[in-house]
Amino acid sequence: VQLAESGGGSAQAGGSLRLSCAISGLTYRPYCMGWFRQAPGKWREGVATVDSNGITRFAASVKGRFTISQDTSKNTLYLQMNNLKPEDSDNYFCAVDQATAEDCAGGVCYCGIDSDLQFRGRGTVVSVSS
């Protein structure tokens, strides 16, 4: 499984960016996918996740400003970021669970911003100026 992020860049506070994550080599329907952010030397922070039932979860710091969506026909995951703040500046990466939707039928699995998803991309940098 390979993931490639794009869409990062510079924005003014209050502006918007949309990140894309192109996923290739996927031969199954993953249970959980998400966006995370991590600067060098800092802890990883979960930003937003979506499970195979369409349930989304967001970090408190981005709730109401960011949305996560997917286009299954294009195998692409998106993160729409609105009303950006300087503290949103970071390296954003997408990640996919190795567990399948079938493995997790019946609610036996958890998909959230603190999930540890096994496949991840290298990230795209977002820089927000005040």
Side-chain angles (χ1 to χ4, degrees):
V1 179
Q2 294 185 324
L3 301 92
E5 301 89 345
S6 62
S10 299
Q12 295 271 339
S16 298
L17 286 172
R18 187 176 83 154
L19 306 184
S20 299
C21 172
I23 305 169
S24 59
L26 204 58
T27 59
Y28 64 97
R29 184 179 177 214
Y31 171 67
C32 185
M33 297 188 289
W35 287 93
F36 300 81
R37 57 193 184 189
Q38 184 174 23
K42 294 189 177 181
W43 292 105
R44 183 197 73 174
E45 178 186 8
V47 177
T49 57
V50 58
D51 71 16
S52 57
N53 297 309
I55 296 173
T56 57
R57 291 187 170 89
F58 297 89
S61 60
V62 307
K63 195 173 293 184
R65 300 188 296 121
F66 291 10
T67 56
I68 184 171
S69 62
Q70 55 182 308
D71 185 336
T72 55
S73 67
K74 297 180 180 179
N75 272 347
T76 302
L77 184 69
Y78 300 100
L79 183 70
Q80 178 66 44
M81 306 187 294
N82 297 329
N83 191 19
L84 284 163
K85 302 178 179 181
E87 52 263 42
D88 294 321
S89 299
D90 218 320
N91 181 51
Y92 287 73
F93 65 93
C94 55
V96 170
D97 200 356
Q98 68 179 9
T100 70
E102 291 71 27
D103 290 340
C104 298
V108 298
C109 302
Y110 170 76
C111 177
I113 58 172
D114 53 348
S115 293
D116 186 15
L117 307 184
Q118 290 74 25
F119 302 111
R120 56 171 285 181
R122 292 188 173 185
T124 185
V125 176
V126 171
S127 178
V128 184
S129 57
S130 57

